[in-house]
Amino acid sequence: MRHRWPAARRFVLPIAVVLAACDPVEDVRRLFDGATPRESYVHRLESAGLASSAAVRDWIAAGEAALTNAPLVDLPYEESGYLAPTEPLAVAVRFDVVRGERISVALTLHSDTAALTFLDLFRAGSDTAAVLEPVSSADSAERSLEFEPRRPGEYAVRMQPELLRGGRYTLRISRAAALAFPVSGRGRSAVQSVFGDPRDAGAREHHGIDIFAPRGTPVVAVADAHVRRVNETNRGGRVVWLRDERRGLSLYYAHLDSQLVTAGMDVRAGDTVGLVGNSGNARTTPPHLHFGIYSRGEGPLDPLPFVHRPERSPPSLAVDTSAFGAWLRGTSEGARLRAAPDPDADVMAELPVHTAARVVAGTGSWYRVRLPDGRSGYLAASVADVAAAPVEELTPGDATPLLERPVASAAVMDSVMPAERVDVYARFGDYLLVSTNGSRKGWMRESP
């Protein structure tokens, strides 16, 4: 189920989802004790008697809304944007994770004050209530935070500055293999048989990966581990079993030409445990390592995501960064607001020409925007521009209120007098984004 989940001083907040203070392997329980930093912050606001204030209520609601509407993005993902201190906003994204990956999140915040910034990680629950389960949390007092999921599925990250704080930010989310590659000097191209391939004419499945390399190529420990068993079997030939206690994994190395460790030893990631061969039932095949991973209660796991992830970088930022926090407008009829920064993503709305949208961030060649009615999504930079110059001029025949927002109940900023010329920059529904005599912009109801 998909859940709708220019500064005077530079304040940099690096946060990497790499748990330094505790075990980085994600468990079914929350990785933090007690309340999260954000929850503690809300409790302090409540203790100060501020919980009922409109500003606090709006701030809390913004955090919930960010999760509810979080877009599903591909990793690696990077966005840069701006959160105005005067406007309660939060940013969240969702992404899919498979077992065996290490997920890293890094946040850099540029602000004129050392503001607290809360970073929270959630997992989508498997029940029909679609609950988001907290997994980990950090604030600007913590220098690092990391996780390796034990359960595949959908996760979400939310970033929110404390009340009345904000600034320019960059959020990066990347993935990597949790373990080292088990054959020295080799990579994915050396894997010629994968997990699940048929064996014995379909009587059984392959419970590992076969990595081909010249005889005598070093075979290495993929993690810090304990050598549990070193022996020889008819099927596996010369084998080594390691135990990665931190992750709860048993690591199986088979068909070795020779074993270079003994039972009871402790090894570090990268230590040589044996040499590639073709012992056991592989004696009629070229030399290779059969590598398997087992977890108690789960049985054999696909090793490939544990030891290999394609090295990819997120697209370079190719939007007008001066637009962050400003009004954008569609430049063509039917500009499409999409659910993700992808030309094949779901279309959330077809926007009439010059429809206004507030820019929150940019990623690759896409703007992340929020419409005046609260809907959010992505607009391709090729179909939008900054509402910096007027697209037309109007002269109202009657006095017209100038509003803060394009709704009838919005606060009145000023009045546009009869015969007063106004510049029109964008529109939303029956309202126009205008300015009078170069003053600050506001919204005016369009005359029928």
Side-chain angles (χ1 to χ4, degrees):
M1 178 177 182
R2 294 299 186 197
H3 305 271
R4 287 183 53 92
W5 288 62
R9 174 181 170 193
R10 186 171 182 266
F11 173 63
V12 178
L13 168 66
I15 303 177
V17 170
V18 185
L19 292 172
C22 56
D23 193 333
V25 181
E26 184 236 335
D27 206 320
V28 294
R29 64 185 186 279
R30 288 166 69 156
L31 294 183
F32 40 78
D33 296 324
T36 68
R38 186 178 183 275
E39 290 169 342
S40 296
Y41 176 71
V42 171
H43 180 68
R44 292 197 299 273
L45 294 175
E46 292 171 344
S47 299
L50 300 174
S52 60
S53 70
V56 172
R57 291 199 309 270
D58 289 348
W59 185 85
I60 293 173
E64 298 306 313
L67 282 178
T68 300
N69 301 308
L72 184 67
V73 301
D74 292 329
L75 300 187
Y77 178 80
E78 179 175 326
E79 75 172 41
S80 293
Y82 174 76
L83 296 180
T86 56
E87 190 171 1
L89 283 178
V91 168
V93 294
R94 297 174 295 140
F95 47 90
D96 288 320
V97 176
V98 301
R99 183 75 184 275
E101 294 181 321
R102 177 184 295 120
I103 303 298
S104 298
V105 176
L107 171 68
T108 303
L109 180 70
H110 305 260
S111 176
D112 59 356
T113 59
L116 280 174
T117 302
F118 306 105
L119 191 68
D120 295 288
L121 173 70
F122 299 85
R123 177 179 51 222
S126 57
D127 61 7
T128 56
V131 174
L132 289 175
E133 303 169 357
V135 173
S136 191
S137 187
D139 63 16
S140 51
E142 298 188 46
R143 305 304 295 174
S144 64
L145 170 78
E146 197 174 77
F147 83 109
E148 295 171 17
R150 286 192 174 176
R151 284 192 281 172
E154 193 174 292
Y155 288 72
V157 165
R158 177 183 63 194
M159 183 274 286
Q160 186 174 26
E162 66 177 308
L163 192 65
L164 301 179
R165 294 290 186 270
R168 176 80 174 267
Y169 72 89
T170 298
L171 179 68
R172 303 178 186 89
I173 308 175
S174 60
R175 61 185 1 143
L179 304 176
F181 200 79
V183 178
S184 179
R186 292 298 186 271
R188 175 64 180 87
S189 61
V191 178
Q192 297 182 26
S193 182
V194 296
F195 188 84
D197 280 351
R199 289 291 188 269
D200 296 339
R204 63 184 180 90
E205 291 185 343
H206 191 216
H207 287 164
I209 56 175
D210 288 343
I211 306 167
F212 286 76
R215 185 182 305 278
T217 302
V219 170
V220 301
V222 296
D224 296 349
H226 182 71
V227 182
R228 295 289 296 272
R229 193 188 315 163
V230 179
N231 64 334
E232 188 166 352
T233 67
N234 290 334
R235 177 179 292 178
R238 298 182 183 93
V239 304
V240 170
W241 284 90
L242 304 182
R243 179 66 180 173
D244 180 354
E245 293 291 356
R246 187 165 64 89
R247 295 179 176 86
L249 301 176
S250 293
L251 311 171
Y252 177 58
Y253 298 76
H255 307 318
L256 298 173
D257 189 65
S258 59
Q259 301 136 309
L260 302 181
V261 291
T262 57
M265 290 178 59
D266 290 322
V267 293
R268 305 282 290 178
D271 288 349
T272 300
V273 299
L275 303 177
V276 168
N278 62 343
S279 58
N281 67 0
R283 56 185 174 274
T284 61
T285 67
H288 67 275
L289 169 71
H290 171 91
F291 179 69
I293 299 179
Y294 296 81
S295 176
R296 188 175 293 115
E298 296 179 273
L301 305 175
D302 184 358
L304 196 56
F306 283 85
V307 300
H308 172 76
R309 286 301 312 178
E311 292 188 7
R312 292 179 53 223
S313 298
S316 299
L317 191 62
V319 299
D320 183 359
T321 58
S322 68
F324 294 166
W327 286 107
L328 200 72
R329 63 192 173 208
T331 56
S332 61
E333 192 71 35
R336 292 173 173 175
L337 182 72
R338 295 191 179 272
D342 185 322
D344 296 324
D346 291 344
V347 176
M348 303 178 67
E350 299 267 358
L351 305 179
V353 67
H354 297 154
T355 294
R358 180 79 77 177
V359 179
V360 176
T363 178
S365 59
W366 295 81
Y367 288 109
R368 188 173 185 179
V369 303
R370 188 164 55 92
L371 300 182
D373 61 6
R375 288 178 294 168
S376 59
Y378 293 85
L379 274 177
S382 60
V383 298
D385 66 5
V386 180
V391 293
E392 61 176 308
E393 295 179 359
L394 289 178
T395 305
D398 300 311
T400 305
L402 191 65
L403 306 175
E404 284 276 3
R405 296 182 297 117
V407 294
S409 60
V412 176
M413 301 165 54
D414 203 343
S415 292
V416 178
M417 304 308 294
E420 183 178 6
R421 183 182 63 82
V422 298
D423 292 325
V424 179
Y425 293 84
R427 62 177 59 241
F428 190 78
D430 295 333
Y431 290 85
L432 304 175
L433 180 63
V434 304
S435 72
T436 59
N437 300 320
S439 62
R440 67 187 179 117
K441 296 183 178 72
W443 292 92
M444 183 184 78
R445 185 71 178 264
E446 187 173 15
S447 300

